[in-house]
Amino acid sequence: RKVCFLMNIYIACALTHVPREIFHEYSNWIHSLAKGLSQNNNVKYALINSDPALSKRPESNKSRLCYIWDRDMVEKSDVIIAECSFPSTGLGIELQIAEQNNIPVIICYKDYGINKTKTIEYVNPDETTHNLQVGEGFISHMVLGLPNILDVILCKDIDNTCRKIKILLDMINHN
């Protein structure tokens, strides 16, 4: 029987363009997710482990430091929990860093009632008409196509979400 080790978990998430009217609900969800996964794990995420420190740095250094610090947290992780309820360039970069380093990713997302997009028809220069491919409307096909994704979880409540994630973490930890 294998021994379970403390896992280094990074919660990747959108922050910059999360709609301000639900930002507090969203950030509380991220904190709850971290708390629910922190027993026997080392959990890091930007709201705690980089953004507060960035606020104390000169504006001219913030972007570079954000990239360096968040990249470091991704690269030192055993697994990434990607909260993908909202599109984010930074989150996409973090997911690509994880893929390049063969770090498994568990995607989770919530339906906030304002974050589901619809397809739209468009016309190309050759006058052909197409429907934009948006899948279910929550997470882009580009993200869902990453080869290191273990699972995609539609979250309803914190207890069930953490239970599902812990089952996947247990699988990773025993391999």
Side-chain angles (χ1 to χ4, degrees):
R1 186 171 180 209
K2 289 188 178 181
V3 178
C4 292
F5 295 98
L6 177 86
M7 292 192 78
N8 293 313
I9 298 170
Y10 178 65
I11 300 175
C13 63
L15 291 174
T16 303
H17 292 287
V18 173
R20 294 309 180 243
E21 64 269 18
I22 64 158
F23 187 84
H24 295 295
E25 177 185 356
Y26 180 78
S27 60
N28 286 337
W29 171 256
I30 301 299
H31 291 307
S32 297
L33 194 57
K35 183 179 178 185
L37 299 174
S38 63
Q39 184 179 0
N40 301 322
N41 295 303
N42 178 28
V43 178
K44 292 193 174 186
Y45 58 112
L47 283 169
I48 295 294
N49 302 103
S50 64
D51 195 67
L54 277 180
S55 70
K56 298 174 181 139
R57 299 301 180 110
E59 199 63 40
S60 60
N61 295 344
K62 287 182 182 181
S63 296
R64 178 66 51 166
L65 290 172
C66 180
Y67 177 79
I68 291 168
W69 294 345
D70 289 3
R71 180 182 183 121
D72 187 60
M73 286 189 284
V74 170
E75 290 178 335
K76 290 180 177 172
S77 296
D78 298 309
V79 64
I80 306 298
I81 309 301
E83 208 303 326
C84 292
S85 296
F86 297 95
S88 165
T89 303
L91 173 57
I93 291 170
E94 291 171 338
L95 291 173
Q96 186 57 45
I97 292 167
E99 193 279 328
Q100 288 176 331
N101 288 280
N102 297 313
I103 300 168
V105 171
I106 299 167
I107 290 181
C108 61
Y109 68 100
K110 287 180 73 173
D111 182 351
Y112 284 91
I114 62 170
N115 58 323
K116 184 175 183 174
T117 194
K118 297 175 185 163
T119 191
I120 188 167
E121 191 176 89
Y122 64 96
V123 179
N124 279 341
D126 66 1
E127 298 185 17
T128 56
T129 303
H130 305 275
N131 287 313
L132 186 65
Q133 299 303 297
V134 298
E136 293 180 10
F138 291 103
I139 305 168
S140 76
H141 283 301
M142 185 72 172
V143 168
L144 293 173
L146 285 165
N148 56 329
I149 293 177
L150 295 179
D151 203 357
V152 178
I153 301 168
L154 172 59
C155 307
K156 306 242 187 240
D157 65 82
I158 196 66
D159 292 333
N160 281 320
T161 299
C162 287
R163 182 183 55 76
K164 289 175 184 177
I165 291 172
K166 286 176 184 177
I167 290 168
L168 293 166
L169 295 177
D170 212 34
M171 284 176 20
I172 296 168
N173 210 352
H174 284 93
N175 283 336

